[in-house]
Amino acid sequence: MTAPTAAPTGCLIIIGNEILSGRTQDVNLNHLAKVLGGMGVRLREARVVADDEAAIIEAVNQTRARYTYVFTTGGIGPTHDDITAACVAKAFGVPLLRDPEAVRRLEAHYAGTGRELNEARLRMANVPQGGILIDNPVSAAPGFQIGNVFVMAGVPAIMQAMLASLTNRLVGGPVVLARTVRCLVGEGELAGGLSAIQDRHADVDIGSYPTYREGRFATSLVLRSPDAARLAAATEEVAALVRGMGAEAEVVEGAA
Amino acid sequence: MTAPTAAPTGCLIIIGNEILSGRTQDVNLNHLAKVLGGMGVRLREARVVADDEAAIIEAVNQTRARYTYVFTTGGIGPTHDDITAACVAKAFGVPLLRDPEAVRRLEAHYAGTGRELNEARLRMANVPQGGILIDNPVSAAPGFQIGNVFVMAGVPAIMQAMLASLTNRLVGGPVVLARTVRCLVGEGELAGGLSAIQDRHADVDIGSYPTYREGRFATSLVLRSPDAARLAAATEEVAALVRGMGAEAEVVEGAA
């Protein structure tokens, strides 16, 4: 195995008025972030856009030029507000075609259910020319990949199944390891020393997240690096900083 | 009161590696969407960006030119990874200055707590030239407004308090009313009739959201319009569509 020279990056485009109106709390970003992180693809940006053709096309074209992989969620159902496939086709400048394999899957799914595979449902078989289907083991209607863009459903259970079925198409990079130093010290006390440690370990990303624990100010200091030795070295310095202030430093694996 | 000619729009920029790594589930978008919706400001876009200067500056400058109001969350604490204020100053091309009133608030907050107002904490009083403070009744360190950009904390309790303290600066528009028709019919059955209703009521936004209820395919059809009469008329047509298919149509207020 050869490691890629630069870590692959990802971007998520969340498509849906229901997220922007506050009707629906998005959970797909968090799931995607964890899955990508586990395979060494770094999610660098996410955008939430309305069910609006111009907005979707712009977001797709801006981000696919910038990131290794772009994922979209939402807008691939059978109703008039499901415009993602058509917009992605326009973004790529290709026609939207009815995919025979997608039709076959829908036929197989609806056969014997008593539900009709009508024209509205057949719209879910429309795929931009050159698109490769993404399996939907939940409700058959597939997503698709075109170029570096992966189009998935918005319903979390379906999105998660689609993502699981497509990860073998992604080339990961070095997995970023994380370690957390938790302490009952306010982050303002730690800031000076922490900044000096960050300066000495430019290749380790150090994040500081305040919380309240046991009625006191507490801080989670999350360190990230693909290099285990450098991560350990920086973590030890952070733990020493905390202990030097007379506090306990609890070191845990992962971003806690 | 004169109603604005066009509905004011909003955009949220969520700043933080912890959202993009999956460590933290964002909840500020959903809260902001509801608060803005209640005052007739339409959230049109959201972006999640890393703790990265270039990414923050680009997001601020692209969106402040496009939307009536831009809100940011995250990155205004005392540690090295809190770079939002400096980035917003650069986006506006103004210096970052230590704000005397912000310093006074921090002094008052830290006095008698046994915690020191050190240089790291004083960084939380840095505000771009021309910025107007946003109150922080939770932990004193203020946010700020500059132009049409409102900079808030990322911790949800603090973000919510800051938002509550700044809404009087926003000029709302007509509030978008919502009504939902719920039924035990798959959205694929409804799609054709629904599309025709949407065509007849171009000024009413109709969204279709599939769910599972009582082991059956169910759909929530959410209608939105600032015009109560038009909303009622479109809702009645959607309910009639459902009933015409021999199903119950449950009509509820709001986006259910």
Side-chain angles (χ1 to χ4, degrees), chain A residues 17-41:
Chain A
N17 292 346
E18 72 278 20
I19 307 293
L20 291 169
S21 72
R23 175 185 186 268
T24 304
Q25 164 72 55
D26 170 72
V27 295
N28 290 328
L29 165 56
N30 192 260
H31 179 75
L32 179 69
K34 289 173 177 165
V35 171
L36 292 185
M39 53 192 301
V41 177

Side-chain angles (χ1 to χ4, degrees), chain B:
Chain B
M1 282 207 311
T2 10
T5 49
T9 55
C11 176
L12 171 62
I13 303 171
I14 298 166
I15 298 165
N17 292 347
E18 71 278 19
I19 307 293
L20 291 169
S21 72
R23 176 187 185 266
T24 303
Q25 164 72 55
D26 170 72
V27 295
N28 291 327
L29 165 56
N30 193 260
H31 179 76
L32 179 69
K34 289 172 177 165
V35 171
L36 292 185
M39 55 192 299
V41 177
R42 312 198 187 174
L43 188 63
R44 293 291 294 167
E45 183 181 345
R47 297 190 188 190
V48 188
V49 299
D51 299 326
D52 175 89
E53 181 176 295
I56 296 170
I57 292 173
E58 182 187 85
V60 169
N61 279 337
Q62 284 185 356
T63 59
R64 73 188 175 97
R66 183 176 289 193
Y67 301 103
T68 315
Y69 302 115
V70 172
F71 303 86
T72 78
T73 57
I76 64 168
T79 52
H80 65 279
D81 55 336
D82 291 305
I83 61 173
T84 299
C87 292
V88 172
K90 287 187 183 177
F92 278 82
V94 299
L96 187 68
L97 304 175
R98 186 144 299 176
D99 186 280
E101 169 61 14
V103 171
R104 196 195 60 72
R105 293 184 191 185
L106 290 169
E107 285 171 346
H109 179 73
Y110 283 96
T113 61
R115 292 182 296 142
E116 183 201 357
L117 181 55
N118 56 21
E119 176 55 30
R121 287 180 169 134
L122 279 167
R123 281 183 69 234
M124 297 191 286
N126 292 349
V127 174
Q129 187 173 55
I132 303 161
L133 299 187
I134 295 172
D135 293 347
N136 172 356
V138 177
S139 52
F144 60 85
Q145 168 191 359
I146 177 167
N148 62 338
V149 177
F150 297 80
V151 173
M152 302 184 288
V155 175
I158 303 176
M159 178 273 186
Q160 291 167 24
M162 285 183 168
L163 182 60
S165 83
L166 71 80
T167 49
N168 60 356
R169 303 184 196 176
L170 309 178
V171 179
V175 172
V176 176
L177 308 170
R179 205 165 285 182
T180 304
V181 179
R182 301 166 76 180
C183 60
L184 290 171
V185 182
E187 63 171 356
E189 312 286 337
L190 298 162
L194 207 58
S195 183
I197 296 171
Q198 178 70 85
D199 288 345
R200 284 196 297 277
H201 298 268
D203 56 341
V204 178
D205 176 64
I206 307 178
S208 173
Y209 306 109
T211 52
Y212 296 89
R213 280 166 57 200
E214 304 164 33
R216 294 181 57 185
F217 295 93
T219 304
S220 285
L221 303 160
V222 177
L223 298 94
R224 293 180 184 278
S225 170
D227 186 310
R230 295 183 186 194
L231 180 64
T235 303
E236 189 39 56
E237 286 195 35
V238 170
L241 170 69
V242 170
R243 293 183 186 119
M245 304 183 76
E248 296 278 322
E250 180 192 10
V251 180
V252 296
E253 292 297 317

Side-chain angles (χ1 to χ4, degrees), chain A residues 67-92:
Chain A
Y67 301 103
T68 316
Y69 303 114
V70 173
F71 303 85
T72 77
T73 58
I76 64 168
T79 53
H80 65 280
D81 55 337
D82 291 305
I83 61 173
T84 300
C87 292
V88 172
K90 287 187 183 177
F92 278 82

Side-chain angles (χ1 to χ4, degrees), chain A residues 4-120:
Chain A
T5 48
T9 56
C11 177
L12 171 61
I13 303 172
I14 299 166
I15 299 166
N17 292 346
E18 72 278 20
I19 307 293
L20 291 169
S21 72
R23 175 185 186 268
T24 304
Q25 164 72 55
D26 170 72
V27 295
N28 290 328
L29 165 56
N30 192 260
H31 179 75
L32 179 69
K34 289 173 177 165
V35 171
L36 292 185
M39 53 192 301
V41 177
R42 311 198 187 174
L43 188 63
R44 293 290 295 167
E45 183 181 344
R47 296 189 187 190
V48 188
V49 299
D51 299 325
D52 175 89
E53 182 176 292
I56 296 169
I57 292 173
E58 182 187 82
V60 168
N61 279 337
Q62 284 186 356
T63 59
R64 74 187 175 97
R66 184 176 287 193
Y67 301 103
T68 316
Y69 303 114
V70 173
F71 303 85
T72 77
T73 58
I76 64 168
T79 53
H80 65 280
D81 55 337
D82 291 305
I83 61 173
T84 300
C87 292
V88 172
K90 287 187 183 177
F92 278 82
V94 299
L96 188 67
L97 303 176
R98 186 144 300 176
D99 185 279
E101 168 62 14
V103 172
R104 196 195 61 70
R105 294 185 190 184
L106 290 169
E107 284 172 349
H109 179 74
Y110 283 96
T113 61
R115 293 181 296 140
E116 182 201 358
L117 181 54
N118 57 20
E119 176 54 30

